[in-house]
């Protein structure tokens, strides 16, 4: 698919993945390769709203490869939000500039969650371009900026020149994590800002949360490969820049 002029995407199919009240702006569910390209100078804006459901930006959940090229912005509003998600046993490749604005009014900190970028089930995500901006605001929903969890040793690689993850949790949520890693590798190869504000959080606020145990099948690694890395964490209870 080639997009040749500015476009607004409004997700109106509430049965994505066959689950009621689940919406995605760009989604791939097939055992094939799908490529979406916005030509240079074109901006694609997406609005995804799901009352009492899930709003998602870019999702790969089949057994195929999803390539998204160009410049995109996503305004996502729901109890649970997933900005960029690969759960598809294959690769998700992003080439361009990506802006994600995620808002959750969810009140259940145990069930409602907002995730900027996530990979599961042995999948890879590669982000190339000038900038990746993730801006999250929640009431009580859990915040995870990047979740590379139980991913069979596979990799999320951020090659963007500038990666920014900023999150504000207004209510008394339970957990706020900039990066959550377990049995996976996460590489940041450009400038990075992680800025978390969760003054009312009752339990844990972590800039980088690395979870691993002796005898795990795969190592857990988070690499910051550029000199400009800024991690700022504010919490009302326990807070750490990194946790191992």
């Amino acid at each position: 698919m080639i997009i040749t002029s500015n476009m607004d995407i409004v997700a109106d199919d509430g049965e994505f993945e066959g689950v009621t009240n689940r919406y995605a702006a760009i989604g791939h569910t097939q055992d094939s390769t799908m490529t979406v390209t916005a030509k240079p100078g074109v901006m694609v804006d997406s609005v995804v709203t799901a009352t009492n459901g899930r709003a998602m930006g870019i999702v790969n959940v089949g057994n195929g490869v999803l390539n998204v090229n160009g410049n995109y912005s996503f305004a996502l509003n729901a109890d649970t939000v997933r900005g960029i998600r690969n759960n598809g046993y294959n690769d998700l490749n992003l080439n361009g500039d990506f802006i994600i604005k995620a808002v959750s009014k969810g009140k259940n900190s145990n069930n409602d969650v907002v995730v900027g970028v996530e990979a599961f089930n042995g999948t890879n995500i590669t982000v190339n371009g000038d900038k990746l901006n993730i801006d999250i605001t929640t009431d009580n929903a859990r915040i995870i900026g990047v979740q590379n969890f139980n991913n069979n040793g596979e990799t999320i690689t951020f090659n963007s020149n500038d990666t920014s993850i900023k999150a504000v949790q207004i209510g008394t949520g339970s957990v706020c994590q900039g990066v959550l890693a377990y049995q996976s590798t996460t590489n940041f190869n450009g400038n990075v800002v992680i800025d978390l504000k969760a003054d009312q959080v009752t339990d844990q606020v972590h800039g980088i949360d690395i979870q691993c145990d002796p005898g795990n099948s795969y190592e857990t690694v988070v690499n910051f490969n550029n000199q400009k890395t800024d991690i700022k964490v504010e919490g009302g209870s326990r807070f750490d820049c990194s946790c191992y």
Side-chain angles (χ1 to χ4, degrees):
M1 177 180 180
I2 298 177
I3 303 171
T4 59
S5 60
N6 293 346
M7 175 184 290
D8 294 329
I9 297 175
V10 178
D12 58 2
D13 181 0
E15 298 289 336
F16 188 77
E17 300 176 303
V19 179
T20 301
N21 215 11
R22 187 171 292 189
Y23 298 81
I26 299 173
H28 184 38
T29 62
Q30 305 301 312
D31 182 7
S32 60
T33 296
M34 173 179 168
T35 300
V36 180
T37 299
K39 287 198 168 183
V42 171
M43 187 68 189
V44 180
D45 296 312
S46 302
V47 176
V48 185
T49 300
T51 303
N52 299 319
R54 177 182 294 184
M56 299 176 285
I58 300 173
V59 191
N60 185 31
V61 295
N63 195 28
V65 176
L66 175 58
N67 304 306
V68 182
N69 308 312
N71 298 326
Y72 299 81
S73 71
F74 299 91
L76 311 174
N77 194 323
D79 289 346
T80 291
V81 177
R82 315 280 187 175
I84 297 168
R85 174 178 172 85
N86 193 9
N87 194 26
Y89 309 96
N90 218 314
D91 291 350
L92 171 57
N93 303 304
L94 309 180
N95 302 288
D97 292 349
F98 298 86
I99 300 171
I100 298 170
K101 174 71 174 179
V103 177
S104 171
K105 298 294 184 182
K107 301 297 184 182
N108 189 330
S109 59
N110 293 319
N111 294 325
D112 300 328
V113 61
V114 180
V115 183
V117 179
E118 64 182 354
F120 297 98
N121 294 328
T123 62
N124 296 299
I125 298 177
T126 303
V127 184
N128 301 306
D130 184 47
K131 63 183 179 182
L132 170 64
N133 289 345
I134 299 171
D135 189 343
I136 298 171
T137 303
T138 76
D139 282 356
N140 297 87
R142 178 182 179 181
I143 291 172
I144 308 173
V146 175
Q147 181 168 225
N148 197 0
F149 194 83
N150 205 19
N151 198 19
N152 298 343
E154 297 300 340
T155 304
I156 298 178
T157 301
F158 297 95
N159 292 322
S160 302
N161 293 330
D162 293 286
T163 297
S164 173
I165 302 169
K166 297 183 178 181
V168 177
Q169 197 164 37
I170 298 171
T172 55
S174 61
V175 182
C176 181
Q177 295 149 304
V179 177
L180 172 59
Y182 177 64
Q183 296 202 78
S184 62
T185 297
T186 305
N187 295 314
F188 293 90
N189 294 325
N191 302 326
V192 179
V193 173
I194 298 174
D195 188 345
L196 310 179
K197 295 181 175 66
D199 292 340
Q200 303 300 316
V201 167
T202 57
D203 192 358
Q204 304 173 38
V205 183
H206 302 301
I208 311 299
D209 189 353
I210 297 175
Q211 301 185 7
C212 54
D213 299 297
N216 281 156
S217 299
Y218 306 95
E219 293 184 344
T220 302
V221 180
V222 178
N223 294 311
F224 293 90
N225 297 319
N226 195 296
Q227 291 183 345
K228 295 183 178 180
T229 299
D230 183 5
I231 302 173
K232 181 180 180 181
V233 180
E234 297 179 13
S237 183
R238 172 183 170 186
F239 62 93
D240 307 282
C241 283
S242 61
C243 179
Y244 302 91

